[in-house]
């Protein structure tokens, strides 16, 4: 029965139980990893000879920037699964992804700006990465705005799913166009953050931080998913069994 | 031929359709009755495929209607609450386009249908100038012209005078005589022979 | 006998053209809006022609984008309100083709006139006459791509309250690449450079739009009709 897991995935009570069982584990591992990575990044890693201590911003900036994209992709995949297989749980998962992804985008933009002040002398420059990140934030806003704008939840699920899929096709095009645009105007090339040629002492906290943030995303996602399921299935009989 | 099997549908928090089932054969008219909000419109829209039932399915000629959507729709004529007319076009132009996208249609055919539904006299006026009853007569001509096996009529007699209500009855019994199927949501019972009628009362959710 | 999808799409296009001629305000208003927006920029920037010329691509493209958003709101709305869209969806014909026809007609009625009248606004912004062909060409291609992307947004906002602002919120981020390539093409036309590269990229987006946008719009409209 290769399809059993798939049917389990489609059943709200199973997903709810799974989320409740695993949330503490994901959260715990994420917290430990984050503490270790922070210690490694802020204390153990040597100072960058060009950027001094400012480079340490990368330990938050790079993982959040990376996750902001990954969450959008996850959301679009969940939405597509919901559309194609008419799976309510997948729609609920997509809905619970959006605010987390938007916050990761805000965090990436904020840390990018804080890092930009000492590096570029201004909080905001039209750097292609920051610009693309900003457009991504607008994509999240559009998705959440559409959800909020449609009263019927079933309709909101489906419409926002179409938008997420269209958006995810557009993300690489936006990224390319913004880089193309920037390359024309020859802004002074500055040191990029998170270059692959990093000292091992600098690198391992970064990689661990990626893992920690990804697990953090899973944790928050599962909590939000549970809330979504409770709200959507409030009339279903399994809720009474679960809550008593 | 048209089989509705255990259809459940929620609108928001309301469980509107709770396991509706019926099986209509050619020459039968399914008469949907029930109070306002009992789900008559919802059921008709679900049969048409405009709404997706959460559970249950609609079968047409033995196969799920959803899997043969275009074929099913080309055999179906749907008339909702509002007559689907463009106010800036005349009745004749409206039909020319709305039927034209389904099948090639001649001006003579359109004329004949307009005469049949008593809409000929005002068929060259922009439909926004027409009264609600006149618009409905034009829309009924559209249903007639669709050459459909299955008619889905949501309150077809709304805004019609006694004469017009008689017209709807006649059109339905002609459609049944052609071995067509009619699903109609009505407030008043239609005076049709009992053996042609399949009454279906939708309970208040 | 059933009509083919192409016949159906053609009839939808003819019907929309006829409706537009009966009620030209929906065609003229976005055009007037574009002209007014283009006039406002010199008032806020500078009356100096040389500096306005530098700003001209931005002015023309922002104006075109806003005006096309304004027009897009009505792409499907009227047909949804009077039940025509429902009849399209139940006609047994491909909704994708019919909506593609509607989108093309919409561009013919809004995007094309806008591109053709852009030289008036461009001349007022100090754009030299030699550049006009390039300005019109880039706006033509760009507004077509914009109509395709906007069709998805217009379909998605059918089911929403206050569709207008939401439509902009959804469509503008998706239109960023069109804006970047289009404005660059216009800029190159004005400065006399080779505008082929951005035009190719704009064309690529239009091709991608033609293949995917009508499908997404049809899915969106079916959801909106629920």
């Amino acid at each position: 029965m290769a399809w059993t897991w798939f049917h389990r995935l489609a059943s709200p009570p199973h997903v709810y139980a799974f989320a409740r069982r695993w949330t503490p584990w994901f959260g715990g591992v994420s917290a430990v990893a984050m503490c270790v990575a922070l210690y490694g990044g802020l204390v153990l890693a040597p100072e960058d000879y060009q950027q001094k201590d400012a480079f340490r911003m990368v330990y938050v900036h790079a993982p959040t920037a990376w996750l902001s994209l990954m969450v959008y992709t996850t959301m679009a995949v969940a939405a597509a699964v919901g559309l194609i297989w008419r799976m309510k749980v997948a729609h609920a998962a997509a809905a619970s992804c959006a605010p987390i992804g938007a916050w990761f985008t805000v965090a990436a933009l904020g840390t990018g700006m804080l890092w930009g002040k000492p590096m570029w002398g201004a909080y905001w420059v039209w750097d292609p990465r920051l610009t693309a990140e900003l457009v991504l934030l607008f994509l999240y806003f559009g998705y959440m705005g559409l959800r909020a704008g449609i009263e019927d939840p079933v309709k909101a699920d489906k419409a926002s799913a179409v938008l997420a899929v269209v958006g995810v096709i557009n993300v690489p095009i936006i990224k390319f166009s913004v880089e193309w645009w920037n390359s024309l105007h020859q802004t002074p090339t500055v040191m990029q953050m998170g270059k692959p040629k990093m000292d091992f002492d600098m690198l391992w906290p970064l990689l661990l931080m990626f893992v920690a943030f990804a697990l953090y995303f899973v944790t928050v996602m599962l909590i939000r998913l549970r809330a979504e399921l409770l709200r959507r299935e409030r009339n279903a009989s399994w809720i009474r069994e679960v809550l008593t | 031929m048209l089989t509705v099997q255990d259809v459940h549908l929620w609108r928001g928090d309301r469980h509107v359709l709770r396991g509706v089932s019926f099986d209509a054969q050619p020459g039968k008219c399914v008469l949907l009755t029930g109070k306002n909000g009992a789900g008559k419109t919802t059921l008709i829209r679900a049969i048409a495929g405009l709404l997706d039932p959460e559970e249950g399915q609609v079968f047409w000629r033995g196969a799920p209607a959803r899997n043969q959507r275009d074929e099913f729709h080309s055999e179906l004529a749907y008339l909702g609450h509002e007559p689907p007319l463009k106010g800036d076009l005349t009745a004749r132009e409206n039909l020319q386009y709305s039927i034209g996208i389904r099948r090639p249609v001649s001006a003579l055919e359109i004329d004949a249908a307009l005469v049949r539904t008593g809409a000929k006299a005002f068929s060259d006026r922009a439909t926004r100038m027409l009264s609600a009853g006149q618009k409905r007569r034009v829309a009924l001509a559209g249903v007639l012209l669709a050459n459909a096996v299955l008619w889905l009529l949501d309150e077809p007699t709304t805004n019609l005078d006694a004469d017009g209500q008689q017209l709807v009855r006649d059109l339905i019994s002609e459609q049944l005589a052609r071995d067509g199927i009619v699903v109609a949501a009505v407030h008043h019972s239609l005076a049709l022979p009992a053996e042609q009628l399949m009454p279906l009362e939708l309970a208040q959710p | 006998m059933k009509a083919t999808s192409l016949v159906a799409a053609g009839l939808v296009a003819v019907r929309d053209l006829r409706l537009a001629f009966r009620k030209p305000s929906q065609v003229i208003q976005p055009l007037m809006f574009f002209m007014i927006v283009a006039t406002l920029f010199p008032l806020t920037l500078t009356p100096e022609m040389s500096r306005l010329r530098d700003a001209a691509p931005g002015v023309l493209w922002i104006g075109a984008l806003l005006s096309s958003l304004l027009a897009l709101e009505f792409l499907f709305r009227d047909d949804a309100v009077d039940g025509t869209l429902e009849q399209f969806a139940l006609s047994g014909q491909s909704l994708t083709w019919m909506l593609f026809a509607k989108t093309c007609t919409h561009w013919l009625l809004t995007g094309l006139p806008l591109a053709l009248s852009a030289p008036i606004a461009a001349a007022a912004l100090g754009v030299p006459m030699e550049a006009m062909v390039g300005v019109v060409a880039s706006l033509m291609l760009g507004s077509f791509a914009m109509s395709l992307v906007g069709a998805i947004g217009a379909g998605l906002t059918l089911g929403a309250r206050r569709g207008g602002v939401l439509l902009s919120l959804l469509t503008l981020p998706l239109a960023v690449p069109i804006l970047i390539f289009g404005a660059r093409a216009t800029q190159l036309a004005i400065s006399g450079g080779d505008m082929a590269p951005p035009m190719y990229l704009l064309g690529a987006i239009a091709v991608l739009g033609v293949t995917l946008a009508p499908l997404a719009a049809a899915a969106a409209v079916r959801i909106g009709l629920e």
Side-chain angles (χ1 to χ4, degrees), chain C residues 2-226:
Chain C
K2 198 175 147 181
T4 66
S5 293
L6 280 178
V7 171
L11 270 173
V12 169
V14 172
R15 188 200 68 132
D16 276 9
L17 286 174
R18 187 174 244 177
L19 278 169
F21 286 121
R22 297 251 162 106
K23 211 181 200 172
S25 66
Q26 276 186 16
V27 177
I28 295 167
Q29 278 166 4
L31 208 57
M32 284 170 16
F33 175 82
F34 171 68
M35 288 298 169
I36 294 171
V37 169
T39 316
L40 294 181
F41 274 93
L43 298 179
T44 54
L45 292 171
T46 165
E48 242 178 90
M49 278 300 186
S50 62
R51 282 175 64 197
L52 277 178
R53 183 160 39 229
D54 289 342
V59 174
L60 292 172
W61 275 87
I62 299 290
L65 200 63
L66 294 180
S67 134
S68 100
L69 277 176
L70 208 65
L72 275 168
E73 209 195 322
F74 300 100
L75 175 53
F76 300 137
R77 188 143 296 237
D78 287 352
D79 279 350
V81 168
D82 63 23
T84 314
L85 221 44
E86 249 169 30
Q87 294 294 333
F88 283 178
L90 297 179
S91 66
Q93 299 287 359
S94 151
L95 188 59
T96 310
W97 275 105
M98 285 191 269
L99 297 188
F100 181 55
K102 271 191 82 67
T103 310
C104 290
T105 318
H106 180 263
W107 172 76
L108 220 59
L109 291 167
T110 58
L112 187 64
L114 187 143
L116 291 177
S117 58
I120 303 172
L125 294 166
V127 173
M129 280 304 143
E130 312 85 79
M132 290 310 176
V133 177
V135 169
V136 171
S138 60
L139 276 169
M140 249 157 78
L141 193 52
S143 61
F144 182 58
M146 182 62 203
S147 290
L148 288 165
V149 172
I152 304 174
L156 286 174
T157 48
L158 273 184
R161 295 159 290 153
R162 301 185 310 273
V165 184
L166 195 55
L167 175 63
S168 314
L169 190 63
L170 303 189
T171 315
L172 286 175
L174 297 176
V176 163
I178 300 172
L179 196 66
I180 288 178
F181 298 136
R184 176 68 183 160
T186 305
Q187 192 185 13
L188 286 168
I190 293 172
S191 64
D194 175 21
M195 61 187 289
M199 285 298 272
Y200 286 143
L201 290 168
L202 207 52
I205 290 181
V207 169
L208 186 71
V210 167
T211 32
L212 294 184
L215 284 170
V221 164
R222 282 200 195 274
I223 294 162
L225 289 177
E226 273 187 12

Side-chain angles (χ1 to χ4, degrees), chain A residues 172-210:
Chain A
I173 304 176
I174 292 172
K175 200 118 178 95
F176 168 77
S177 70
V178 169
E179 261 154 35
W180 185 87
W181 158 76
N182 196 265
S183 68
L184 300 170
H185 298 281
Q186 292 301 321
T187 42
T189 38
V190 282
M191 270 284 290
Q192 293 291 350
M193 291 199 280
K195 276 275 173 64
K197 267 187 250 157
M198 259 183 147
D199 211 39
F200 180 73
D201 286 348
M202 290 178 174
L203 190 61
W204 74 260
L206 183 62
L207 295 180
L208 189 60
M209 205 57 142
F210 272 124

Side-chain angles (χ1 to χ4, degrees), chain A residues 86 88 152-155 158 234-235, chain B residues 10-14 52-54 66:
Chain A
R86 295 156 200 272
K88 281 194 224 165
D152 180 31
V154 177
K155 226 166 158 177
K158 292 185 188 170
R234 58 185 172 274
N235 296 326
Chain B
W10 279 259
R11 295 306 270 164
D13 247 0
R14 287 177 55 235
D52 236 354
E54 254 103 325
R66 206 164 62 199

